[in-house]
């Protein structure tokens, strides 16, 4: 098969993080756009990127892009694409859609037109009038922006943030992909201690441990394209074998966290156990004022409570104030906090060294970065 045009979708503000991940996997021919990173690859790369990307949303196949200001243009453009190359006669092919700043603004109508066009294309190939759609799933999406239609096939199925270790969660938890992005943006390395004083479901801690041991985040889950005829079991087995061989579980980890809510600690313990880090991640049921992370030159990465999560703005403000006071006891530590509050710098007693706009779900936040001193370099013996 010819080289594929693939898309790694990205949460707003994390496009450069997804691009960096792709480069580290060896994909250098990249195009970064709003909410996506385009790259080239083959069938094997569908499996590799689904398994390895920590901060992306999904891996899509770019099927075609064309101008569409009328339903006729949309129908003919979709019908011209080679759907039967991918979708077998029994394939299930639901259509999702979105439209922004386009004349074709009715998403349900656009979905219906796309479905009809794909069916007509399938009829030409398979010589039948009816498709049972009881086979593997081939999710189609039509995305209209400024009167241009982009058609894609979803290879992931459930979003890539769903790793499989978190069965239940606390109120308004941070997504696994966002937690991984925060760890990557902090430039934390496993030789340094890491602490989360508002650990909630333990997601930041687990994602850090997976990064520390180089565990591919998709190893414990399945993907919709695993059932596709073009992507053989051997191809997926090879990708998983590569990922298992890359694990470095002999690296000591200094990862710990705490939370004032005993139910949160219970949920975090379950997630940590399911992720395989019960012996590596330490938890404590204490308020932030009593948090005492161990070690020097550590990194605090956290998602402090705010009114919507905690249900009380005064309690959230008190927690931030206590967080700022706690930090004073750790002058060698670096602190990274994602929050919609504009009071973080006030309670930390200093301006952030760096701030980055991020969306935690649909909530606009800042990722506050307070850099501590770097660990001293080990002296080389001559």
């Amino acid at each position: 098969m010819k080289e594929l045009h693939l898309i790694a979708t990205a949460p707003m503000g994390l496009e450069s993080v997804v691009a960096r991940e792709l480069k580290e996997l060896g994909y250098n021919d990249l195009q970064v756009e709003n909410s996506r990173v385009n790259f080239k690859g083959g069938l094997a790369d569908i499996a590799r990127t689904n398994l390895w990307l920590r901060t992306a949303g999904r891996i899509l196949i770019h099927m075609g892009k064309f101008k569409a200001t009328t339903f006729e243009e949309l129908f003919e453009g979709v019908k011209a694409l080679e759907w039967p190359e991918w979708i077998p006669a029994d394939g299930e092919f639901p259509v999702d859609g979105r439209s922004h700043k386009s004349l074709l603004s009715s998403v349900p109508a656009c979905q219906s037109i796309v479905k009809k066009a794909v069916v007509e294309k399938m009829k030409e190939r398979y010589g039948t009038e009816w498709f049972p759609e009881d086979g593997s799933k081939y999710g189609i999406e039509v995305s209209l922006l400024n009167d241009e239609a982009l058609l894609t096939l979803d290879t992931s199925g459930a979003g890539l943030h769903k790793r499989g270790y978190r069965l239940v969660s606390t109120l308004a938890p941070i997504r696994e992909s966002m937690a991984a992005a925060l760890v990557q943006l902090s430039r934390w390395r496993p030789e340094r201690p890491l602490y989360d004083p508002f650990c909630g479901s333990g997601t930041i801690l687990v994602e850090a441990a997976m990064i520390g041991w180089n565990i591919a985040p998709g190893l414990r889950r399945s993907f919709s394209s695993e059932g596709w005829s073009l992507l053989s079991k051997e191809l997926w087995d090879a990708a998983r074998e590569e990922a298992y061989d890359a694990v470095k579980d002999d690296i000591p980890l200094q990862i710990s966290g705490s939370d004032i809510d005993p139910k949160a600690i219970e949920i975090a313990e379950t997630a940590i156990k399911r992720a395989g880090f019960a012996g590596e991640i330490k938890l404590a049921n204490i308020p932030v004022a009593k948090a005492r992370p161990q070690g020097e030159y550590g990194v605090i990465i956290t998602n402090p409570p705010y009114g919507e999560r905690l249900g009380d703005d005064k309690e959230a403000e008190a927690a931030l104030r206590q967080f700022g006071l706690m930090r004073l006891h750790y002058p060698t530590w670096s602190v990274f906090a994602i929050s919609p509050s504009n009071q973080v710098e006030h309670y930390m007693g200093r301006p952030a060294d760096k701030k980055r706009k991020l969306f935690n779900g649909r909530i606009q936040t800042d990722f506050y970065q307070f850099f501590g001193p770097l660990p001293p370099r080990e002296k080389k013996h001559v």
Side-chain angles (χ1 to χ4, degrees):
M1 176 173 279
K2 63 183 179 182
E3 190 175 47
L4 303 173
H5 180 171
L6 301 173
I7 299 170
T9 65
M12 192 178 300
L14 293 183
E15 295 90 346
S16 63
V17 180
V18 174
R20 189 171 79 196
E21 280 197 84
L22 283 164
K23 286 181 180 178
E24 289 173 354
L25 288 172
Y27 304 96
N28 294 307
D29 184 10
L30 307 177
Q31 288 181 320
V32 180
E33 300 178 6
N34 288 336
S35 301
R36 60 170 57 95
V37 181
N38 303 292
F39 65 105
K40 300 291 179 62
L43 294 174
D45 299 299
I46 292 174
R48 284 192 76 231
T49 51
N50 269 302
L51 286 169
W52 277 104
L53 289 181
R54 302 180 189 279
T55 58
R58 281 181 167 82
I59 303 300
L60 309 177
I61 299 169
H62 182 293
M63 295 295 293
K65 191 175 185 179
F66 51 87
K67 192 167 185 65
T69 57
T70 67
F71 288 132
E72 184 179 358
E73 286 180 339
L74 180 61
F75 181 90
E76 294 300 333
V78 172
K79 188 182 175 186
L81 302 178
E82 293 301 323
W83 302 104
E85 285 190 5
W86 291 94
I87 306 174
D90 66 345
E92 178 189 359
F93 48 102
V95 179
D96 285 326
R98 63 184 67 185
S99 179
H100 186 61
K101 295 182 179 179
S102 296
L103 291 173
L104 299 179
S105 58
S106 171
V107 172
C110 290
Q111 291 173 258
S112 178
I113 292 295
V114 169
K115 183 76 173 185
K116 289 177 182 176
V118 175
V119 168
E120 288 303 312
K121 186 71 172 187
M122 299 276 283
K123 284 180 180 179
E124 291 178 359
R125 172 68 62 90
Y126 296 112
T128 182
E129 291 294 312
W130 181 76
F131 297 95
E133 296 198 50
D134 56 2
S136 296
K137 186 175 179 179
Y138 296 76
I140 298 170
E141 181 177 271
V142 54
S143 178
L144 288 146
L145 176 63
N146 296 323
D147 294 324
E148 270 201 326
L150 171 65
L151 277 297
T152 58
L153 271 180
D154 177 16
T155 73
S156 302
L160 295 182
H161 70 280
K162 295 187 176 181
R163 323 289 206 213
Y165 62 78
R166 195 167 78 178
L167 296 182
V168 293
S169 59
T170 53
L171 182 65
I174 194 168
R175 273 193 171 187
E176 296 89 331
S177 50
M178 178 60 76
L182 301 186
V183 176
Q184 290 179 329
L185 287 168
S186 77
R187 302 286 182 168
W188 170 78
R189 302 297 303 160
E191 58 268 17
R192 298 177 70 177
L194 185 147
Y195 190 82
D196 181 357
F198 303 104
C199 72
S201 304
T203 309
I204 290 174
L205 305 177
V206 173
E207 293 297 320
M210 292 175 73
I211 290 170
W213 278 4
N214 199 40
I215 296 174
L219 264 180
R220 297 187 176 209
R221 57 159 287 176
S222 59
F223 307 91
S224 61
S225 54
E226 287 189 68
W228 295 7
S229 55
L230 281 177
L231 276 73
S232 67
K233 182 180 182 298
E234 290 74 22
L235 182 150
W236 281 98
D237 287 346
R240 282 197 166 85
E241 186 175 349
E242 176 195 29
Y244 279 117
D245 288 345
V247 173
K248 301 175 181 177
D249 56 3
D250 58 341
I251 295 176
L253 298 176
Q254 306 169 69
I255 298 175
S256 55
S258 58
D259 202 283
I260 194 172
D261 182 1
K263 182 64 175 178
I265 293 297
E266 183 181 325
I267 291 171
E269 285 176 341
T270 299
I272 288 166
K273 184 177 180 180
R274 282 183 58 85
F277 296 108
E280 280 68 39
I281 298 175
K282 311 301 180 189
L283 296 176
N285 179 205
I286 54 174
V288 64
K290 294 185 178 180
R292 294 294 181 266
Q294 301 297 308
E296 297 289 329
Y297 303 99
V299 176
I300 291 173
I301 307 174
T302 194
N303 179 24
Y306 48 88
E308 185 173 327
R309 294 175 61 224
L310 200 62
D312 188 325
D313 287 326
K314 289 183 179 179
E315 285 187 46
E317 190 172 329
L320 267 182
R321 182 169 59 251
Q322 292 164 3
F323 178 42
L325 291 172
M326 182 211 83
R327 186 216 173 251
L328 294 176
H329 298 287
Y330 298 91
T332 67
W333 284 57
S334 296
V335 176
F336 301 85
I338 184 171
S339 177
S341 172
N342 58 9
Q343 296 296 303
V344 172
E345 291 169 304
H346 169 71
Y347 288 119
M348 295 298 287
R350 55 173 279 203
D353 295 294
K354 196 174 180 180
K355 287 194 292 186
R356 186 184 186 115
K357 292 284 183 190
L358 295 175
F359 280 83
N360 187 10
R362 294 184 177 182
I363 300 171
Q364 183 172 315
T365 68
D366 280 298
F367 186 43
Y368 294 90
Q369 303 169 58
F370 302 90
F371 303 138
L374 291 173
R377 293 184 177 181
E378 293 185 9
K379 294 182 180 180
K380 294 182 178 179
H381 299 286
V382 180

